[in-house]
Amino acid sequence: MAGTAGTLRVGIIGATGYGGGELVRLLARHPTARVVALQARGRDDEPIDVSHPHLASTGLRIGDALPDGLDAVFLGLPHGAAAALVPDLIAQGVAIIDLGPDFRLRSAAEYPRWYRFEHPRPDLLDRAVYGLPELHRDELAALRDAEVRIVASPGCYATASILSLAPLARAGLIEDVVVDAKSGVSGAGREAKPEMQFGEVNESVRAYGVDGHRHVAEIEQELTRAAGAKLPPIDFLPHLIPMTRGILAACHVRTTRPVEQAELDALFETAYGGERFVEVVASPPATKQVTGSNHFRVHVHHDPRTGRVLVLGVLDNLVKGAAGQAIQAFNVVFGLPEASGLEQLPLAP
Amino acid sequence: MAGTAGTLRVGIIGATGYGGGELVRLLARHPTARVVALQARGRDDEPIDVSHPHLASTGLRIGDALPDGLDAVFLGLPHGAAAALVPDLIAQGVAIIDLGPDFRLRSAAEYPRWYRFEHPRPDLLDRAVYGLPELHRDELAALRDAEVRIVASPGCYATASILSLAPLARAGLIEDVVVDAKSGVSGAGREAKPEMQFGEVNESVRAYGVDGHRHVAEIEQELTRAAGAKLPPIDFLPHLIPMTRGILAACHVRTTRPVEQAELDALFETAYGGERFVEVVASPPATKQVTGSNHFRVHVHHDPRTGRVLVLGVLDNLVKGAAGQAIQAFNVVFGLPEASGLEQLPLAP
Amino acid sequence: MAGTAGTLRVGIIGATGYGGGELVRLLARHPTARVVALQARGRDDEPIDVSHPHLASTGLRIGDALPDGLDAVFLGLPHGAAAALVPDLIAQGVAIIDLGPDFRLRSAAEYPRWYRFEHPRPDLLDRAVYGLPELHRDELAALRDAEVRIVASPGCYATASILSLAPLARAGLIEDVVVDAKSGVSGAGREAKPEMQFGEVNESVRAYGVDGHRHVAEIEQELTRAAGAKLPPIDFLPHLIPMTRGILAACHVRTTRPVEQAELDALFETAYGGERFVEVVASPPATKQVTGSNHFRVHVHHDPRTGRVLVLGVLDNLVKGAAGQAIQAFNVVFGLPEASGLEQLPLAP
Amino acid sequence: MAGTAGTLRVGIIGATGYGGGELVRLLARHPTARVVALQARGRDDEPIDVSHPHLASTGLRIGDALPDGLDAVFLGLPHGAAAALVPDLIAQGVAIIDLGPDFRLRSAAEYPRWYRFEHPRPDLLDRAVYGLPELHRDELAALRDAEVRIVASPGCYATASILSLAPLARAGLIEDVVVDAKSGVSGAGREAKPEMQFGEVNESVRAYGVDGHRHVAEIEQELTRAAGAKLPPIDFLPHLIPMTRGILAACHVRTTRPVEQAELDALFETAYGGERFVEVVASPPATKQVTGSNHFRVHVHHDPRTGRVLVLGVLDNLVKGAAGQAIQAFNVVFGLPEASGLEQLPLAP
């Protein structure tokens, strides 16, 4: 590795978005990483407080060129952009943690379908690791000595859905599933859009993406891997909630056979008992219980009346759903304590 | 009827709650009804602005005794209270519009199960009419000359769910349904509760009632009636949204046979084309599009990928989900134009 | 007048903004006016629900040309645009109710200073009436038979500030005043702006316009007229509040001589006792108490500790601060009952 | 001191309120302090997640008795309660950091007036230090070796107001001041109150405390100390904003002599240039820029039109306005780096 003992030199490309801001907020307090470069289109040599007033005290600036000798680069870019940029970074020996979708799907054929672009480097898809440490920790750790180091950090809805359902998928219990998900507006990014103005969002709730949200592709991919078998298409419906941060995924599951609460409890305990960032809780969680933290909180419930299983998972879409999870995976790849820089407790109320 | 030509004298019992406030707001501008009595426990002779500052200009007061000669009484009471009070009102020849659940269920056996009380007058359950004019208009109109006039005004979640699903139920298309519903906080009433404080609700979303929300009983009853056959148990999950008004019911339906969008469009057009308060819309509706009005807005969507049907219905829980719908039914019972007092357009943004 | 008995034909130019939507919402239920034309730049022949989904049931469309024979036109345009358009409309004999600032200031010299444009028709400024019926009712009524009929409808902040302070100004009591005002976001209009995205506004409050908000010009003009003497410059500071509708003006007044509460009460009673839309209240009002209505609610308080007078005024910026007030003035100009079309009670909670 | 090298043993009394929760959130990550005891009335032996679900991962419990050998105790209690408890704690040699008002005022005569109780130990008022490190750092540091160690941590509004105005007070520039302050609801505490229900607070703003907010007493005390001379009574008006955290103090100052912007900039630079937690900024700050952090952000502006000076200060009422500031003072008293445990950057959006 290019880094010297004690400090890892990292860059962030796409630093002015919400995800970029969270990366700065967290990495600026990371005990081992040091942010040495920020990039953003059209923002050369701009103090960070122009785009992120709350981060003024970091004294960081958006710069132009990436310096040499970086250990890792975090990418927060629109889909398609990372795929174009990554090969060059790989050639420089830099580890990539991509917060976008360009390396999440293992099949190149899925990109035209879900993202409307032909993937320029299908050969890299197999070498990228889907950066969900709770499911792929060993693969991430194995990147440490790999020539090509690409972490495809999961989508926010995907993280909530996959972590909620993986224990059931592994146990072969999913016959059919409806994921009815709710998100705060920061998941839609920072660009000014008429429908995201305060006056339109506040005191209102609506569903969107009824023709199929892109995260469905990675959810189905990962649940199929967890199940070891093809699952029926997932019915996934996202909603926009009048709040800034937070995702709640309500997963309504018909099971392949009758189950009881005790079995469900055991499955989740086995899956997550040792996980630093997953909390299995005894009552329906509120998104506010995890705000600002890298925690994922999950509740599983068997309804004797309907025979169905309900799984409710919550996270902060900008932390465990984006920047925090990317740092968690970065920590694993570089052999650091997995919670480095992610120790902050949730902010409530 | 006790009323004289031109004006109907109405009373409101339970006037200090949110539902009571909405009744006053709307009835104070009703062209035919006149509010002549307001009652609320422990609030005798109190100006209305003590409980409802926004209604000061009505000059109304909470009073003690109900005057004689009322044409109708609206009840906004906790469950169990109306059942105790109604027989006496019936004896006085007053029409009852009950916003609570005490006369919604046709089977007395359901009350201990869902509401934890034995119904004191099971004989009246058959004579009450479930006050959803879009489904039971003729029955409501027939009350006009009945000896016992009880309108059991539907619950807020129930209205959204039933109106969303009735066209599919009638067509025998529902194989299985998940209703994932979202509500603003006013549905929880006005009593101070720690979990309803602003600091707890804002910037957060959570599910509740995972053990079975009471409105399930009336939803299943009405969809069974619409279908003419027993349906499987409905998987109903309510959520608390950081907003004050509004319900969105997302109904995920597996159908008994393959359908196409055109058939769905035709079913909804047939069901609701002539309805004054139902708007079938071409894209997912936001709750804000109906705030303050008696409108129900619904969108139906066939997903070719999953084969499922999604129905999204929105309403204002205090208007079409409570006070407005009660007035709509009152209008039908008394032979008034159905939209009397309910002409207000939605308030947006 | 061009109108025939019973109905006044009105048009709205600038119909797609928030102010335009409110005009439609209210005029569509006005007992005498009929909306016969809607215009908006670049939106020819578009159903109204494209811009205002909540108004779909009106069945109105944005059109191209204004029809002949209109009685009145409401203008909701950026500053400078109305000044260019009005002369032609005047020539057609149409009454103008301008919701923008182009005819609010009596001195043409103020336009370059506050609005950065030279007024093209200074001769019309004297003939326009500042459309605050509580202060200029007789002048508005006198427009009825005037050749040039221009109502300059006041700004939202200006309405709240002027109505709060006029009784004190008339009594010669204002030595010095700080107006610290708070507004919901709808006052900033509907155009998508980064700083008005939900994620930026929610859970935050900030002041703006520290170099002088434009409404200062009309506030000082009207208070000077009310006082009959030049007042010192007003210290006016606006804030953006995380809510959609509502303005609260907190007016901190040093008086020219010591006063007592009883004198203040009498002044406000005299000023507003007979006003249909002004409510003098005994405790600090919340903006929610007037939402959706044309009410202005005001509280006056003498603080014996500091010797100062505090006046707190609240209104709905889109109703009494814009569309409602414009309709109120329209009613006066056309000799209609002043509350025509404005009878709606506030919507709370 | 009772503590051993490397770790300070601290307790929190009143742990279940919002201030108590913030103390736990921050102290649980403090590099030197260790929370060894939590107390709260009627909550003996209850896991912390019952009252603070977001803090479950700390594994802490509410206990009964305070253990011996504590170095410091943080008190988050209703006024009057700390005054009764402190003498006994002092006798045990424990340092007290009191987040309530019982030791903030130096004159015992002020307690009956502002807090309606007779202070039981006036002799301690002189020995307590008002815990605003930016003004009283040396006095706090001097407590280290004092027999009686009481830090009276300032109120949230008081912190915002005093830090905003101290540079002007010291320079003798304050002729007269209006402080128009805005706060999120968490400042009102956690107890369930009807007027703090979400449905009442959301989409609304209102002033309160028009008869004099209690924080006026400490604001006047501290500004008088800073000015070295008696100031006229401050006109302080608080508002409730529909948000959870944050205070904005808008301070409208008439100066004793004409000033210019450059002089103001120099005064604030001198006062705060070396302060770790104070950021002097060039444009009006939003409360969201400091959420979750111990930062105070301030903007000073001279208005040439009115001749007045405007100072806008923002902070998070639960951090710099309560728990964070208490920890900052604790750090000073114990000779720790002042930012220990307070390094978190603000959370935005």
Side-chain angles (χ1 to χ4, degrees), chain A residues 238-314:
Chain A
H239 294 76
L240 188 71
I241 304 295
M243 62 184 190
T244 302
R245 288 176 182 242
I247 283 181
L248 165 59
C251 308
H252 304 257
V253 182
R254 277 198 306 135
T255 51
T256 49
R257 58 173 173 77
V259 292
E260 296 195 352
Q261 186 67 41
E263 178 181 1
L264 298 171
D265 292 343
L267 282 174
F268 278 73
E269 172 60 25
T270 301
Y272 297 130
E275 287 295 338
R276 171 71 172 75
F277 291 117
V278 180
E279 301 172 293
V280 183
V281 292
S283 56
T287 58
K288 181 169 271 197
Q289 294 170 6
V290 297
T291 301
S293 80
N294 200 49
H295 296 190
F296 172 72
R297 193 166 270 204
V298 66
H299 172 69
V300 59
H301 179 76
H302 176 253
D303 183 345
R305 201 180 68 86
T306 63
R308 283 169 183 269
V309 172
L310 172 70
V311 190
L312 298 166
V314 297

Side-chain angles (χ1 to χ4, degrees), chain C residues 176 180 182 199 202-205 210-211 216 220 234-235 239 243-244 252 254 287-288 301 305 308, chain D residues 176 180 182 199 202-205 211 216 220 234-235 239 243-244 252 254 287-288 301 305 308:
Chain C
D176 182 77
D180 194 289
K182 296 90 194 169
N202 203 40
E203 271 293 302
S204 199
V205 61
V210 294
D211 290 316
V216 167
E220 292 187 348
I234 287 175
D235 177 352
H239 294 76
M243 62 185 191
T244 302
H252 304 259
R254 275 196 309 135
T287 58
K288 181 169 271 197
H301 179 77
R305 202 180 68 86
R308 285 169 182 270
Chain D
D176 182 77
D180 194 288
K182 296 92 192 166
N202 203 40
E203 272 294 300
S204 198
V205 61
D211 289 316
V216 167
E220 293 187 347
I234 288 175
D235 177 352
H239 293 76
M243 62 185 191
T244 302
H252 303 259
R254 275 196 309 134
T287 58
K288 181 169 270 197
H301 179 76
R305 202 180 69 84
R308 284 170 183 268

Side-chain angles (χ1 to χ4, degrees), chain C residues 12-341:
Chain C
I12 300 170
I13 301 182
T16 54
Y18 284 149
E22 279 297 269
L23 285 167
V24 173
R25 179 176 75 89
L26 295 168
L27 288 169
R29 295 293 180 265
H30 193 287
T32 314
R34 190 155 61 89
V35 179
V36 297
L38 298 178
Q39 277 198 334
R41 197 168 39 186
R43 302 289 190 102
D44 187 24
D45 201 34
E46 185 180 272
I48 195 165
D49 60 305
V50 175
S51 48
H52 298 297
H54 64 298
L55 300 176
S57 66
T58 64
L60 292 167
R61 296 185 82 87
I62 312 291
D64 188 11
L66 278 190
D68 289 337
L70 291 179
D71 293 286
V73 171
F74 293 82
L75 304 180
L77 295 170
H79 59 81
L85 194 65
V86 158
D88 193 46
L89 291 167
I90 293 292
Q92 297 173 39
V94 183
I96 306 297
I97 295 95
D98 181 16
L99 280 71
D102 288 11
F103 295 92
R104 290 181 197 153
L105 306 181
R106 291 152 73 97
S107 162
E110 299 287 298
Y111 282 93
R113 178 179 175 199
W114 293 99
Y115 290 100
R116 311 277 173 225
F117 76 94
E118 288 289 336
H119 202 286
R121 288 294 300 274
D123 61 303
L124 291 176
L125 295 178
D126 268 349
R127 305 175 79 169
V129 176
Y130 191 75
L132 196 53
E134 289 79 7
L135 268 71
H136 302 294
R137 184 170 286 119
D138 291 347
E139 295 166 71
L140 288 167
L143 283 185
R144 195 170 188 187
D145 304 312
E147 188 188 352
V148 169
R149 293 176 293 168
I150 305 176
V151 174
S153 204
C156 50
Y157 279 127
T159 301
S161 305
I162 296 165
L163 289 178
S164 292
L165 291 168
L168 301 179
R170 284 186 199 138
L173 281 172
I174 299 180
E175 168 76 28
D176 182 77
V177 61
V178 172
V179 179
D180 194 289
K182 296 90 194 169
S183 176
V185 301
S186 60
R190 195 169 184 180
E191 197 190 341
K193 297 168 197 153
E195 72 272 21
M196 290 296 167
Q197 298 286 105
F198 185 91
E200 304 296 316
V201 172
N202 203 40
E203 271 293 302
S204 199
V205 61
R206 64 178 169 88
Y208 64 100
V210 294
D211 290 316
H213 190 281
R214 286 158 169 168
H215 287 186
V216 167
E218 56 189 284
I219 296 170
E220 292 187 348
Q221 168 183 292
E222 293 300 311
L223 292 181
T224 294
R225 290 171 75 183
K230 185 85 182 141
L231 295 177
I234 287 175
D235 177 352
F236 178 86
L237 181 70
H239 294 76
L240 188 72
I241 304 295
M243 62 185 191
T244 302
R245 287 175 182 243
I247 283 182
L248 165 59
C251 308
H252 304 259
V253 181
R254 275 196 309 135
T255 52
T256 49
R257 58 173 172 77
V259 292
E260 295 195 353
Q261 185 67 41
E263 178 181 0
L264 298 171
D265 291 343
L267 282 174
F268 278 73
E269 173 59 25
T270 302
Y272 297 131
E275 288 294 339
R276 172 71 171 76
F277 291 118
V278 181
E279 300 172 292
V280 183
V281 292
S283 56
T287 58
K288 181 169 271 197
Q289 295 170 5
V290 297
T291 300
S293 81
N294 201 48
H295 295 192
F296 171 72
R297 191 165 273 204
V298 66
H299 172 69
V300 60
H301 179 77
H302 175 253
D303 183 344
R305 202 180 68 86
T306 63
R308 285 169 182 270
V309 172
L310 173 70
V311 190
L312 298 166
V314 297
L315 52 72
D316 182 326
N317 56 299
L318 294 179
V319 191
K320 184 60 178 167
Q325 179 146 274
I327 293 167
Q328 185 185 355
F330 160 87
N331 289 338
V332 176
V333 170
F334 282 90
L336 307 174
E338 194 166 320
S340 289

Side-chain angles (χ1 to χ4, degrees), chain D residues 59-321:
Chain D
L60 292 167
R61 296 184 84 85
I62 312 290
D64 187 12
L66 277 190
D68 289 337
L70 291 179
D71 293 285
V73 171
F74 293 83
L75 304 180
L77 295 171
H79 60 80
L85 194 64
V86 157
D88 193 46
L89 291 167
I90 292 291
Q92 298 173 38
V94 183
I96 306 296
I97 296 96
D98 180 16
L99 279 72
D102 288 11
F103 295 91
R104 289 181 197 153
L105 306 182
R106 291 153 72 98
S107 161
E110 298 288 298
Y111 282 94
R113 179 179 176 200
W114 293 99
Y115 290 99
R116 310 278 172 226
F117 76 95
E118 288 290 335
H119 203 286
R121 288 293 300 273
D123 60 302
L124 291 176
L125 294 177
D126 268 350
R127 305 177 79 169
V129 175
Y130 192 75
L132 197 53
E134 290 79 8
L135 269 71
H136 301 296
R137 184 169 288 117
D138 293 346
E139 295 165 70
L140 289 167
L143 283 185
R144 195 170 186 187
D145 303 312
E147 189 188 352
V148 170
R149 294 176 292 168
I150 305 176
V151 175
S153 206
C156 50
Y157 280 126
T159 300
S161 304
I162 297 166
L163 289 179
S164 292
L165 292 169
L168 301 179
R170 282 187 199 136
L173 282 171
I174 299 179
E175 170 75 27
D176 182 77
V177 61
V178 172
V179 179
D180 194 288
K182 296 92 192 166
S183 177
V185 301
S186 59
R190 195 169 184 180
E191 199 190 341
K193 298 169 196 153
E195 71 271 22
M196 291 297 167
Q197 297 286 104
F198 185 90
E200 303 297 315
V201 172
N202 203 40
E203 272 294 300
S204 198
V205 61
R206 63 178 169 89
Y208 64 100
V210 295
D211 289 316
H213 190 282
R214 286 160 167 166
H215 287 185
V216 167
E218 54 189 286
I219 297 172
E220 293 187 347
Q221 167 182 291
E222 293 299 312
L223 292 180
T224 294
R225 289 170 75 181
K230 185 86 183 141
L231 296 177
I234 288 175
D235 177 352
F236 178 86
L237 182 69
H239 293 76
L240 188 71
I241 304 295
M243 62 185 191
T244 302
R245 288 176 180 241
I247 283 181
L248 165 59
C251 308
H252 303 259
V253 182
R254 275 196 309 134
T255 52
T256 49
R257 58 174 172 75
V259 293
E260 294 195 352
Q261 186 66 41
E263 179 181 0
L264 298 171
D265 291 343
L267 282 174
F268 278 74
E269 172 60 25
T270 301
Y272 297 130
E275 288 295 338
R276 172 71 172 76
F277 291 117
V278 181
E279 301 173 292
V280 183
V281 293
S283 55
T287 58
K288 181 169 270 197
Q289 295 169 7
V290 297
T291 301
S293 80
N294 201 48
H295 296 190
F296 172 72
R297 192 165 272 204
V298 66
H299 172 70
V300 59
H301 179 76
H302 176 253
D303 183 344
R305 202 180 69 84
T306 62
R308 284 170 183 268
V309 172
L310 173 69
V311 191
L312 298 166
V314 297
L315 52 73
D316 181 327
N317 56 301
L318 294 179
V319 190
K320 183 61 179 169

